[in-house]
């Protein structure tokens, strides 16, 4: 079994400054039962799954690579 997980979401920054993630979050909530998450939310989500967040790497596009490892 792998000990590392990588995903490609767009973490929502703290605050209310204009950002692509805020627009995408609204779209996902309106059209689907999904949403974007903040770093803190990813940490809690991964912890509940027995993982720990090890990094978020921007890609220069609308997604980032969110990485977690076994806790």
């Amino acid at each position: 079994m792998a000990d590392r997980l990588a995903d490609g979401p767009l973490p929502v920054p703290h605050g209310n400054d204009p950002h692509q993630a805020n627009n995408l979050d609204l779209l996902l909530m309106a059209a689907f039962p999904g949403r974007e998450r903040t770093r803190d939310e990813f940490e809690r989500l991964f912890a509940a799954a027995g993982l720990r967040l090890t990094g978020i790497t921007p890609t220069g596009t609308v997604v980032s690579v969110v990485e977690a490892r076994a806790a």
Side-chain angles (χ1 to χ4, degrees):
M1 180 167 95
D3 68 347
R4 188 169 128 184
L5 169 72
D7 194 7
L10 181 61
V12 176
H14 290 286
N16 291 321
D17 293 333
H19 192 274
Q20 294 171 314
N22 297 331
N23 295 336
L24 185 55
D25 193 30
L26 287 172
L27 175 65
L28 286 172
M29 287 189 295
F32 306 103
R35 64 191 209 109
E36 296 299 308
R37 292 181 169 84
T38 65
R39 180 183 186 96
D40 293 340
E41 290 170 324
F42 274 114
E43 288 174 346
R44 288 192 300 273
L45 179 68
F46 289 150
L51 302 168
R52 67 180 169 80
L53 179 68
T54 56
I56 298 177
T57 306
T59 64
T61 68
V62 297
V63 297
S64 296
V65 176
V66 177
E67 186 175 340
R69 291 190 180 265

